[in-house]
Amino acid sequence: MTSRWIRRHAHRTATALTPRLAARWATDVFSSTRTYGLRPDDVLPLGAVPFTVHGDEKVTDGFLWNENATQGSALLVHGWAANSSSMHSLVPPLRAHGLRVAAFDGPAHGARTGDQATMTQYTRAIGAVLDTLGDVRVIVAHSLGAIAAIGALATHTGHPPQCAVLIAPPATLGNVLERWDGAGLHLTRPLREGIYRELHHRNGVPVTHWDLVGLGAPLDLPTLVLHDPDDPLVPYTDAQAVTTGLKNAHLTATNGGHMSILTSPTTTTHLTHFTTQHLTPPHTHPHTNPHPHTHTNPHARHKGTP
């Protein structure tokens, strides 16, 4: 008798007795941020320095490479249940542009405390990082991080970036939920509807709000969409829908599946070509913060990343 069978049997019983409790339970599983493993050690990536994030209690710091660069910043946004280390392979090509490169662990992700988060929390955290940096010229986001990043840009009042790169983006959170297998839970239609209601309660907005095209409609931002046609988690049709719906987007096929796409040389090549085309010489803006407060921990250990 496996733990998967026990969980499914227990959940069926809970569904029959207390549907609302079952929906909360299933939403907890869906909202888990630890799918891909345990918390990593809280150490500095090699070559990075920490910086303080202002305005968000869930995300208080992040990492900077090339901290004294004067060409502006690139912001890396990881996907759900991953962490900032998943984006490290994209640091070198962005540094090569003379950019300061920033990354951070989202709420309850990576070295953060907690095991669950909401899209609203993640979007707010991205907004706080944008405000802290002040000079983001390109934002690169993976998977569900793409929806959160576009949501943050849609409400951001500071200087907008010059371009965006979305890697393996789902078109909507609803699409993700409908494809979700329940991690071994028995997902009936009433239970799925209960998850929709619970997510609405937790996020403060309905699941339909998390629509990448709907959130990005006000933006006229040159956007490169990179997706593997054989991605087993997010279908290529989602990337096609995103590209068609955004005002200024271009879709390019690459390889690597859903996670290894981030380390694919083809992805790096397309990222480099696109940013070379769209990054113009920086200007001085009144709201630019070229040097966010960095702090050095003399006891911090470095791990082997770029």
Side-chain angles (χ1 to χ4, degrees):
M1 187 177 298
T2 65
S3 60
R4 184 183 179 93
W5 183 91
I6 293 171
R7 182 165 61 173
R8 180 180 295 175
H9 179 73
H11 197 269
R12 284 176 175 171
T13 303
T15 302
L17 297 176
T18 55
R20 188 172 182 180
L21 177 60
R24 289 179 180 174
W25 186 3
T27 305
D28 286 347
V29 177
F30 182 72
S31 303
S32 172
T33 57
R34 304 293 171 187
T35 304
Y36 297 137
L38 302 174
R39 280 182 200 84
D41 292 334
D42 189 8
V43 295
L44 288 174
L46 186 63
V49 297
F51 74 98
T52 299
V53 176
H54 303 286
D56 192 277
E57 63 180 13
K58 300 289 185 182
V59 173
T60 57
D61 56 75
F63 308 115
L64 287 178
W65 291 263
N66 214 20
E67 64 170 320
N68 294 318
T70 59
Q71 301 298 306
S73 298
L75 176 59
L76 302 175
V77 179
H78 65 76
W80 200 265
N83 59 64
S84 58
S85 68
S86 67
M87 307 295 285
H88 286 171
S89 61
L90 304 179
V91 172
L94 293 167
R95 289 182 64 181
H97 282 290
L99 296 168
R100 179 178 60 171
V101 184
F104 66 99
D105 289 342
H109 287 77
R112 306 288 172 206
T113 59
D115 299 294
Q116 296 174 34
T118 67
M119 286 292 287
T120 295
Q121 290 171 341
Y122 200 8
T123 301
R124 287 174 179 167
I126 296 169
V129 175
L130 288 169
D131 289 340
T132 297
L133 295 172
D135 64 345
V136 172
R137 300 179 64 206
V138 55
I139 188 166
V140 182
H142 176 237
S143 194
L144 271 174
I147 298 180
I150 293 298
L153 289 176
T155 58
H156 182 55
T157 57
H159 182 63
Q162 293 178 326
C163 60
V165 179
L166 308 180
I167 303 175
T172 69
L173 181 62
N175 283 3
V176 175
L177 178 55
E178 290 300 320
R179 290 191 294 262
W180 185 49
D181 67 359
L185 306 178
H186 180 60
L187 294 181
T188 62
R189 175 45 54 184
L191 179 54
R192 285 189 186 274
E193 292 171 354
I195 298 172
Y196 274 88
R197 290 191 294 270
E198 184 64 20
L199 286 172
H200 187 169
H201 172 71
R202 297 184 187 189
N203 281 280
V205 292
V207 171
T208 53
H209 171 82
W210 304 109
D211 178 326
L212 203 157
V213 171
L215 292 168
L219 304 174
D220 189 8
L221 182 68
T223 302
L224 173 65
V225 180
L226 295 174
H227 207 114
D228 183 347
D230 296 321
D231 187 327
L233 296 182
V234 178
Y236 197 66
T237 51
D238 273 33
Q240 291 172 322
V242 167
T243 306
T244 301
L246 295 179
K247 291 179 182 177
N248 191 2
H250 173 73
L251 173 62
T252 298
T254 183
N255 54 21
H258 192 68
M259 292 302 298
S260 294
I261 188 174
L262 296 169
T263 57
S264 166
T266 306
T267 295
T268 302
T269 298
H270 290 309
L271 171 69
T272 300
H273 180 68
F274 180 76
T275 50
T276 299
Q277 284 184 313
H278 291 91
L279 292 181
T280 59
H283 302 283
T284 301
H285 298 277
H287 299 294
T288 293
N289 179 15
H291 298 289
H293 177 64
T294 58
H295 57 275
T296 302
N297 178 359
H299 303 293
R301 294 177 291 124
H302 288 265
K303 53 188 174 184
T305 53

